[in-house]
Amino acid sequence: MTVPAFLLVLAAGVASGAAQAIDTQVLGSGGLTRIELSSFEGEDSVRPLTTEALREAAGVPGVTGVVADYPATLYAEREGTYDLGSHTLPAGGEVPVVAGRLPGVLGARQVVLPAEAQGTDFRAVLGKTVPFGYTRATGAGTGTSEVMRLEVVALYDPAWQVDGVGGAYLAEATAAELAAARAGKPVGEFRARDGAAGAVVSVGHQRQVAEVTRALQEAGFAASPVSDRVRQLPGLFGVADLGMRAGVGVLGLSAFVLGWVRARESARARLESFAVLRVLGSGRSDLRRLLLGEAALTGVVAGGIGLVLGSGLSVALAGPLSGVLGLPIGLTDALPGAGWALAAVGLPVVGLGAGVWAGGRAALRQDPYVAARACG
């Protein structure tokens, strides 16, 4: 009983940590009221996110704002060897800031960096204006290095990796300027013809998300609610979630079978004692209650041990899994919910009890006087 309970709790803890991590990163930034637009290069059926297209998206009833993302690259111009992917600051600007402060609107020459990335500690440059290098294309496969000076206004937790490891976040206009330079085009032309790599559409209320998503899709956009990410857990966590649900059936069935066998063996092993008790006036119900009490105690102990061991391992795995998957999982988030903890302890008790009840009926059916004489 301990092993199935342990596996159930471990799977529940991992799945719980995953769900909480995704909830924190995706929904914590207002994801419930946001829709993602994607642009797939070379896909004719998907509408490019050009200036005109984004303007049309902003005009859909229910939409309160559209923030386009223009990926590019910022690299060390003087000190350091970092090479940071740059993006537009996420809609709402909700990044886990650990130092500095995000302004209400990020300025054209301001940047938000990870506290540390690629061996470089950016805490030393917080609040300073730092030169960054970027590439301006001059032809097919050729380009020149130019410099952009940006003020580092805030640093965020490096574990927050929504856009990959070590992203630099800029105002939309600045991000577009860098992307246009990399493409070797004027900003206006780049935004009007090439368009953004993605965009986030904000709506007024959660109940409008489905309707606005449908309207955007009908207009040719590749649109999907941000909250859908929560239902698409990463592979490892998806397996854990499936294993957690399968574990309930395995644990319950194992407990029932074990209870059945245990009751029959216990009754047979103590046939003489039970026969004497019945001759002295104890009924089958009294003996059955004795067996049920033993089963309940066994179930609680086995489930409790499984709960403790499974919770401990789940918490121990929180750190390694956070690093591997880029999802910051808190230690308390890796604990199974109250419902799963109760299932880990309760299912062995219920299963053993049911097995004992069924197995005990057959084992206690024998006539006590016959049993007593058979035992001498």
Side-chain angles (χ1 to χ4, degrees), residues 244-259:
M244 173 181 64
R245 301 178 190 283
V248 173
V250 173
L251 181 58
L253 181 61
S254 300
F256 178 81
V257 173
L258 181 60

Side-chain angles (χ1 to χ4, degrees), residues 41 70-73 86 134-144 146 174-197:
E41 187 175 353
Y70 297 92
T73 303
S86 63
Y134 68 97
T135 300
R136 181 176 296 279
T138 56
T142 62
T144 61
E146 298 193 8
T174 310
E177 181 181 345
L178 290 175
R182 187 175 63 174
K185 298 179 180 179
V187 178
E189 178 185 340
F190 175 79
R191 299 183 74 165
R193 294 190 177 183
D194 295 62

Side-chain angles (χ1 to χ4, degrees), residues 71-241:
T73 303
L74 288 173
Y75 52 84
E77 197 275 328
R78 292 180 183 174
E79 299 180 358
T81 57
Y82 56 85
D83 193 349
L84 307 177
S86 63
H87 296 271
T88 302
L89 185 69
E94 291 90 346
V95 296
V97 173
V98 295
R101 185 182 65 83
L102 280 177
V105 177
L106 199 62
R109 287 297 181 264
Q110 294 180 327
V111 64
V112 179
L113 300 176
E116 184 179 350
Q118 302 174 23
T120 300
D121 189 340
F122 291 105
R123 294 177 181 86
V125 298
L126 178 62
K128 299 180 180 179
T129 299
V130 180
F132 293 89
Y134 68 97
T135 300
R136 181 176 296 279
T138 56
T142 62
T144 61
S145 179
E146 298 193 8
V147 177
M148 177 181 288
R149 300 182 65 84
L150 300 170
E151 179 189 1
V152 182
V153 295
L155 303 176
Y156 67 88
D157 186 348
W160 194 78
Q161 299 173 7
V162 171
D163 294 300
V165 180
Y169 291 102
L170 306 160
E172 182 178 316
T174 310
E177 181 181 345
L178 290 175
R182 187 175 63 174
K185 298 179 180 179
V187 178
E189 178 185 340
F190 175 79
R191 299 183 74 165
R193 294 190 177 183
D194 295 62
V200 176
V201 176
S202 300
V203 300
H205 194 277
Q206 180 184 350
R207 62 174 174 266
Q208 298 173 294
V209 169
E211 180 181 351
V212 172
T213 300
R214 186 164 51 252
L216 290 169
Q217 290 173 344
E218 290 174 352
F221 293 99
S224 61
V226 173
S227 58
D228 281 356
R229 293 186 197 171
V230 179
R231 305 183 188 95
Q232 300 169 352
L233 298 180
L236 177 61
F237 292 134
V239 172
D241 187 60

